[in-house]
Amino acid sequence: MTITQRLSRAAAIAAASVLLAAGAQAKEFKIAAGDGAGGTHEALGKAFIAALEENTGGEHTAKLFLNGQLGSEQDTVNDAAIGTLDFSILAINNLTPFSPTVGTMTLPYVILSLEDAVTLTQGPIGQEMVENTIRDAGVRIIGWAYSGFRVLTNSARPVETVEDLDGLVIRVPRNEIMIATYKAWGVNPTPMAWSETFAGLQQKVVDGQDNPYITIYSMKFDEVQDYVTNLRYIFSIEPLIVSEAVFQDMSEEEQQAVLAAGEAATEASEEFLRAQEETIKQELVSRGMQITDPANDEQEFIDLATEAVWPQFYDSIGGVEKLNAALTALGRDPVE
């Protein structure tokens, strides 16, 4: 966003705050979140609430419900679509079934850094995702949380190569792209609800799972997992969505206040990841987790996943041109 755009938005919010303070009925919105305290979801939610209160002169606020208290992440999309839930923060892979083009951002090894994630979400491609989710799912993305790469954890042994995965039972979300990726590595993964994952790891129904360091920390997975592999196959992005029905029921001033709060929360999430990830990694090591890098800069994992998985999902994401648009935006060569 340019300086001129930021100033224009600031002026609009200042005007909205005056109007809201003058006569709007105070509201307390509900925000669902899948993760626990100390994680990205909480950081994004708190930043959004603070900005919303500031933008509305204290007239409007929100309450954050962590740990899936309001239902599974996919359930919250349904609830928001019909207007029975106001906001939700959820992993982007749980939004993909409702708006498949969002899957472009979950194809393995498309996003290779935080900077890549910011480029895609905050540029034209991200705006297209916003429009598509309104059309497809009845929800509007108003902010983005950045959690880092989904590293692999397990309780059995260090994993450096694809061969090391042999025999491990790995939990994944019910997401076709992620399932296909593990199958490309020779693993038949076990889809499992997020709410059941800790117990599944604890009871050794599954040996491992993948999630960012911040999520591993906030969900206390170090209590039931010993080994971490620094995979970077998916960079975890969590959209903050608002029910489009709820959004359209707002005044124009309220809508502007909500959108600006989403932007502020997005910036705060980027800062949170930069500030916290390395500290959290060291804390997990101090708690006994062993971190391993994949052999040969992960090349075996990369080759198997991109060659086998990308072509499977060209149609679902809207055509290979959607992937090529993302790669071009990131300064990489398109696929043929």
Side-chain angles (χ1 to χ4, degrees), residues 216-231:
I216 294 166
Y217 174 78
S218 70
M219 300 304 292
K220 304 184 186 304
F221 283 166
D222 58 283
E223 296 179 1
V224 291
Q225 300 277 269
D226 299 314
Y227 304 100
V228 181
T229 303
N230 273 325
L231 290 184

Side-chain angles (χ1 to χ4, degrees), residues 31-38 41-42 64-70:
I31 306 175
D35 285 356
H41 288 195
E42 183 184 49
L64 188 61
F65 294 84
L66 298 171
N67 286 311
Q69 293 177 67
L70 300 185

Side-chain angles (χ1 to χ4, degrees), residues 22 41 79 135 154 214 216 238 263 314 331:
H41 288 195
D79 293 342
R135 178 197 66 204
N154 83 91
I214 289 173
I216 294 166
E238 290 90 12
E263 290 181 2
Y314 290 159

